[in-house]
Amino acid sequence: MTAPKLRLGVNIDHVATVRNARGGDNPDPVRAALMAEAAGADGITAHLREDRRHIVDADIDGLMAALTTPLNFEMAATAEMQAIALRHKPHAVCLVPEKREERTTEGGLDVAANDNALAAYIAPLAAAGSRVSMFIAADRAQVDACVRIGAPVIELHAGAYADAWAEERWDDRDVELAKITDMAAYAHDQGLEVHVGHGLTYDSVGPIAALPTVAELNIGHFIIGEAIFRGLGPAIEEMRRCMDEARG
Ligand code: PXP
C-alpha cells in the first residue's frame, strides 16, 4: 500500500512538568504548543491526569483557545474527565489507563475486559464530535474489542519496544516491533486508524514510521528533553526529518 503522510503529534506534558517543579507560569505549555505547531507538528497532545501532576485544567483552556492544529486530549475513563472533554469537545480524546503511583502510562487500556462499559463511556464523546482513540497494547483481543465498541482510532503502546531499544535488548526490540507491525496491519484491515506512541526517540522512531498502516505518532518526553540542547523547534524538525526519512 502507499503510505499516507505520517502525522506528528507533539506531547507537551513535560513542559508543564518543568513549570510545576517551581510553581508559577514558566515555561508555558501553551507557548510550547504554538512553537511546536510552527515547527511542523500536525497536532498537540496533552494528558490531563487525575492528580494534575503536569497539565492542569487551565492549560487545556489555553490550548483549546490558542491551537490551530487538532488537540489530542489524553485522559482516563472517569466521569470527571468525560465532563471536561464534553465541555471542550477536543478534536480527539485518547483514553489511557491511569494509576496514581505510576511514573508514566505503563500499559495499555484493557478494552477487552471492559467493552460494555467503555462502549457506553465513549458514546457521548463521539456524539459531541471528538474522535475517540484507545491506547492499547499491540494485542489482537484488544484490537477486536476496539472494533466491537466502535472506536475509530487506536494508539498502540510503544513502551516495551522503546525500552528494549534503550536497553539494547535487540531480540526483544525485534519481537516488540513485530507485534506492533502485525497489530497495526490487522487493525488497519479492520478499518481502524492506527497511531503509535510512548518512549519514541530519534533512534527508535524509524522502524515505526516506516509502517504504512500507521497514520500518526505521538511523541513527547524525548522531544522536550532534546529541546534543552537544540531548542524546541529544531528538536521537532529533527523528529520530523527522521520520520520522513524512514517513510521514504
Ligand atoms: N501517547 C500516549 C497515549 C501517552 O500516554 C504518551 C505519554 O504520555 C505518549 C503518547 C507520549 O509518550 P512519550 O512522552 O514517552 O513520548
Side-chain angles (χ1 to χ4, degrees), residues 11 13-14 45 47 49 54 72 74 94-96 104-105 135 155 196-200 218-223:
N11 180 318
D13 291 351
H14 296 299
T45 293
H47 182 179
R49 279 183 168 267
H54 36 60
N72 177 32
E74 277 183 27
C94 180
L95 295 186
V96 302
T104 181
T105 313
F135 189 45
E155 180 162 330
V196 181
H198 207 93
L200 296 173
N218 286 302
I219 309 179
H221 183 265
F222 179 82
I223 287 177

